[in-house]
Each structure stands twice: as C-alpha cells, then as structure tokens.
C-alpha cells in the first residue's frame, strides 16, 4: 500500500490547468509544484515582481497548508526568475517569511520564460520530523 498522497486543485488552493499534482506527500516529505502569481481561479495576475512574488509564495503556502505541513517544515526552495536582477526585490520578502534559524536551502536561476508570462516561479520541499 502506498503512503503517497496527491494534492490537486481544491478548496483554498489555486486552480491549475496543468496536468499535475500541486503537491505530493510521500512519507514525511512534501514536494510542492511550481507556483506562479495566479488567483484562486487559476487566472494569471500580472504585476510588479514584488506583487508576483507575494502571490506566488501565498499560493505555495496555501498548497503547503493543504498537505498538513507548515512553513517551518520547508527545507528547500527553488526560485526561477525571468530576470535575475529581480532577486534584489525578492530577497527582503524571502527573508521576512522565515525565522533566522529556519531559513531553508535555496537555489535561484534565470529561465528564458515561465508559464503565462510570469516573472517568478517558486517550488518547495518540506519534511516533517514526526508523522
């Protein structure tokens, strides 16, 4: 019997048109698919990098909450940008989300393009110590 749980579009998490699970919980690991700045109906919301960052992270945290994990259990964040210069605007927001002693590992990179014309996409891995 599998101990995997597949989280798809549902109440309190943004809809996606992609043929994916928005998160997969396998044992004490949670892998969250890339989140961009879409509203609850899955409509892309264009805006400044600050606005897109906040909405993408809000979506990531909504999916995380749906899995039963918390922000303090995030151990890794992957952030794709269409312009690496936007990191200077994202770092302060990222810093505000996580306690000093609980900052996750992170990768950043520049992508030629992101879905729907997004400027940023965020993905995460969380781990529970006890399940």
């Amino acid at each position: 019997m599998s101990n995997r749980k597949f989280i798809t579009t549902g109440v309190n998490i943004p809809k996606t048109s992609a043929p994916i699970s928005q998160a997969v919980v396998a044992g004490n690991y949670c892998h969250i698919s890339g989140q961009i700045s879409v509203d609850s109906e899955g409509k892309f919301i264009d805006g400044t990098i600050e606005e897109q960052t906040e909405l993408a992270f809000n979506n990531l945290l909504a999916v995380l909450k749906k899995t039963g994990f918390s922000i303090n259990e995030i151990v890794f964040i992957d952030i794709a940008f269409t312009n690496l210069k936007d990191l200077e605007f994202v770092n302060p927001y990222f810093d505000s989300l996580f306690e000093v002693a609980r900052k996750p590992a992170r990768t950043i990179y520049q992508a030629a393009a992101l879905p729907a014309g997004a400027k940023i996409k965020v993905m995460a891995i969380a781990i529970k110590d006890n399940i």
Side-chain angles (χ1 to χ4, degrees), residues 16-38:
T16 180
S17 60
I20 61 168
S21 293
Q22 290 188 321
V24 176
V25 176
N28 61 332
Y29 285 82
C30 176
H31 297 263
I32 300 174
S33 294
Q35 300 295 314
I36 61 172
S37 59
V38 295

Side-chain angles (χ1 to χ4, degrees), residues 11-14 56-67:
V11 177
N12 298 323
I13 61 173
F57 270 97
N58 285 346
N59 290 340
L60 184 135
L61 295 174
V63 173
L64 183 72
K65 183 177 180 181
K66 184 78 170 180
T67 68

Side-chain angles (χ1 to χ4, degrees), residues 107-121:
T107 61
I108 59 166
Y109 55 92
Q110 183 167 318
L114 294 171
K119 296 175 176 127
I120 184 172
K121 179 174 77 168

